[in-house]
Amino acid sequence: MTRTHELRPARLSPRDVLRVGAVGLRARRARVVLSALGIAIGIATMVAVVSLSESSRADLMSRLDRLGTNLLTAEAAEDARGGTIRLPKNAVAMVERIGPVRHATATAEVDARIRRSDVVPEERTAGVTTQAARTDLLSTLGGEVARGTWLTPAGEHLPTAVLGAVAADRLGITRPGETIMLNDTRVAVVGILEPVELVPTLDRVALVGFPAAKRYFGFDGHPTTVFERSTDASVEEVRAVLARTVSPGNEAGVRVSRPSDALAARAAADKGLTALMLGLGAVALLVGGVGVANTMVISVLERRQEIGLRRALGATRNAIRLQFLTESLLLSSLGGVAGALLGSAATYGFARAQGWTTVVPPWSLAGGLAATLVIGVVAGLYPAIRASRLHPTVALNAT
């Protein structure tokens, strides 16, 4: 009795599938590079946008942690006629009586025109104004002196000034010891500040002591802005009572703000910009996917004889589909890996130039690579199906 054996098509191992798919890519290297470049640009854009946003946000959060979010300011607002309401002279002392308040200080506008020297016309003030400051201002705000010294208990009575970073640049002052003119009084510059991140308006002023402002420039002693720091847990409680404490009976004439809110708002704006840039990266990725699909369609048309020969030798339709789908996946993966490396390198270079800590979220790399696999499947599915449907006879006779 003769036993018949059923013939079954041979199955390709995963290693064979990869090898067959890679052969098609190696035969058309220039086209493969150009197609993969479109994917790489899209992935690099998305990885770089996300990573730079995270690096910037991490730097911003570290600055907020360093500067503190417990600083509140109370400023004199304008009345109905456009004039500035005057805060009480003892506003700082009243704020210090609030239980959770740790530090309180103040600045005040001073009517003194600033000139580089007495030969400069009075109307040319270089965009710099004068303010009176208490000696504890810098410690309360967390500011630092770049060159020279801060106002001392003795120096605040003398015609001396400390310039903000921008003010010094505009006046052409590069070192302490030089003099400037405040009205008709020659004032010695004893220090230049680093930029004050929480209160950037101080970068554009010349600061003199309260006693000196009264003695030389007719200052009346009423503060314009009160600064206070409290415990982190009690910021909102202090905020609720600060206005009526600074100006009892006229709390509507006091604006209370939290300087750190501006930095937090910038972080939120960065997040919106990141979403926009991610959209642009997605468009680039879509264009790259179209390029991969186009490459695969052309590859099928050019390799019809190869497909017919493989079919004649026993390759199944599933094997043909798997071959071209693997080629598409390899092509898109090549672009995805290159894009992830390029985006990470761009993030590192830019973050280092800005002095940020480089942050490349793992999920951005994983998401980018996953996107390339999806694109590879979608872009290669139609060409793979089309190749598998070619009849061996028609394919072998194709020219």
Side-chain angles (χ1 to χ4, degrees):
M1 184 175 180
T2 305
R3 180 177 295 179
T4 59
H5 297 277
E6 183 181 354
L7 295 177
R8 294 182 181 180
R11 294 182 179 275
L12 293 175
S13 67
R15 180 178 179 182
D16 291 332
V17 171
L18 290 174
R19 185 173 57 189
V20 171
V23 167
L25 297 183
R26 288 199 298 267
R28 297 162 181 82
R29 296 182 180 179
R31 187 183 302 166
V32 166
V33 169
L34 292 176
S35 298
L37 184 61
I39 298 290
I41 291 174
I43 294 298
T45 300
M46 298 179 74
V47 170
V49 165
V50 171
S51 300
L52 287 175
S53 176
E54 290 298 319
S55 298
S56 174
R57 192 173 294 112
D59 178 72
L60 187 57
M61 291 303 106
S62 67
R63 286 165 56 195
L64 276 174
D65 291 340
R66 185 179 73 253
L67 297 170
T69 58
N70 59 345
L71 177 69
L72 295 178
T73 66
E75 298 179 271
E78 293 183 350
D79 56 24
R81 293 173 294 182
T84 302
I85 295 174
R86 300 169 69 187
L87 300 182
K89 294 182 179 180
N90 63 342
V92 172
M94 291 190 294
V95 171
E96 288 176 335
R97 295 194 186 103
I98 301 176
V101 171
R102 293 177 175 177
H103 306 284
T105 187
T107 59
E109 298 290 339
V110 176
D111 185 16
R113 288 179 170 270
I114 299 178
R115 295 174 291 160
R116 180 64 179 84
S117 67
D118 54 2
V119 299
V120 176
E122 291 187 3
E123 61 273 11
R124 295 185 60 182
T125 60
V128 179
T129 58
T130 307
Q131 290 188 11
R134 289 165 51 114
T135 55
D136 56 357
L137 176 69
L138 211 58
S139 59
T140 302
L141 300 183
E144 296 180 354
V145 177
R147 293 180 293 278
T149 61
W150 174 241
L151 297 172
T152 63
E156 68 173 344
H157 294 268
L158 303 174
T160 58
V162 176
L163 300 180
V166 176
D169 182 65
R170 290 179 176 178
L171 291 170
I173 304 295
T174 58
R175 54 187 176 81
E178 300 186 51
T179 60
I180 56 176
M181 298 296 296
L182 270 63
N183 290 342
D184 295 324
T185 303
R186 189 174 297 277
V187 174
V189 175
V190 296
I192 299 173
L193 298 180
E194 295 280 4
V196 184
E197 295 182 89
L198 284 179
V199 191
T201 54
L202 294 181
D203 295 341
R204 296 169 175 80
V205 302
L207 298 166
V208 298
F210 266 65
K214 294 177 182 178
R215 180 178 179 182
Y216 297 101
F217 310 112
F219 172 54
D220 60 7
H222 290 273
T224 307
T225 305
V226 176
F227 303 92
E228 72 79 29
R229 280 193 187 270
S230 56
T231 59
D232 293 331
S234 59
V235 170
E236 294 303 324
E237 296 176 9
V238 175
R239 191 173 193 169
V241 301
L242 187 58
R244 59 176 174 265
T245 302
V246 170
S247 184
N250 188 25
E251 58 185 277
V254 180
R255 294 192 303 266
V256 177
S257 61
R258 192 176 184 179
S260 59
D261 287 346
L263 293 177
R266 198 175 81 187
D270 287 346
K271 188 176 293 186
L273 182 61
T274 298
L276 175 62
M277 296 302 294
L278 277 177
L280 295 177
V283 171
L285 198 57
L286 178 62
V287 172
V290 172
V292 171
N294 182 58
T295 298
M296 295 308 301
V297 169
I298 294 175
S299 179
V300 170
L301 293 175
E302 290 178 345
R303 297 162 63 187
R304 283 180 294 180
Q305 290 186 340
E306 173 194 332
I307 296 169
L309 181 60
R310 290 199 62 204
R311 293 281 284 121
L313 292 176
T316 63
R317 288 186 174 183
N318 284 336
I320 298 298
R321 278 196 293 266
L322 190 57
Q323 173 189 348
F324 283 91
L325 198 57
T326 301
E327 285 190 26
S328 178
L329 282 170
L330 288 175
L331 178 56
S332 61
S333 298
L334 179 64
V337 171
L341 294 175
L342 184 61
S344 300
T347 300
Y348 176 78
F350 188 84
R352 182 161 184 169
Q354 296 294 321
W356 301 341
T357 300
T358 304
V359 179
V360 181
W363 64 263
S364 67
L365 297 176
L369 295 177
T372 61
L373 295 179
V374 173
I375 288 175
V377 171
V378 173
L381 193 59
Y382 169 72
I385 294 174
R386 180 171 178 173
S388 68
R389 288 179 177 176
L390 286 175
H391 193 278
T393 305
V394 175
L396 285 171
N397 290 332
T399 56

